[in-house]
Amino acid sequence: QLQLVESGGGLVQAGGSLRLSCAASGRTFGTYAMGWFRQAPGKEHEFVAGISWNGGSTYYTDSVKGRFTISRDNAKNTVYLQMNNLKLEDTVVYYCAPGTPRGWAAVASDYKDWGQGTEVTVSS
């Protein structure tokens, strides 16, 4: 029911910053927890960051804690991922997806409606 379009990726030097955006269409956006996921070549989707439906709670995988910040603006139907101090291992395609009561790992493994994503390339 949600249509999601990711944007904001690009080429950046290690230590630099990017802000990703996930624009959603659908009047129920504000009822969903939202998450950012990424997929490296030859690997499955993995959870990066999540945010509750009202922005009151956030969750991060250990590798991005202290560097990435997820936020949302329900009035704009948009969720953001501010990425600071980017590292070479952050080079990957990033996707957004709604959360589920089954947990973020379930989204990473079971979600089937991934969009085109937005590619982040971190150079040395």
Side-chain angles (χ1 to χ4, degrees), residues 33-34 49-60 70 72 104:
M34 294 294 297
I51 188 167
S52 60
W53 67 273
N54 64 352
S57 299
T58 57
Y59 314 88
Y60 300 93
I70 188 171
R72 69 189 298 161
W104 298 114

Side-chain angles (χ1 to χ4, degrees), residues 47-111:
F47 170 72
V48 176
I51 188 167
S52 60
W53 67 273
N54 64 352
S57 299
T58 57
Y59 314 88
Y60 300 93
T61 192
D62 286 344
S63 64
V64 308
K65 287 181 179 177
R67 300 190 298 120
F68 292 8
T69 302
I70 188 171
S71 62
R72 69 189 298 161
D73 187 341
N74 287 350
K76 297 181 178 180
N77 275 17
T78 302
V79 61
Y80 305 95
L81 185 67
Q82 178 66 47
M83 305 186 295
N84 297 328
N85 192 24
L86 284 160
K87 302 177 179 180
L88 293 178
E89 55 263 40
D90 297 320
T91 295
V92 73
V93 179
Y94 288 75
Y95 304 85
C96 60
T100 171
R102 296 184 295 277
W104 298 114
V107 178
S109 62
D110 298 338
Y111 189 66

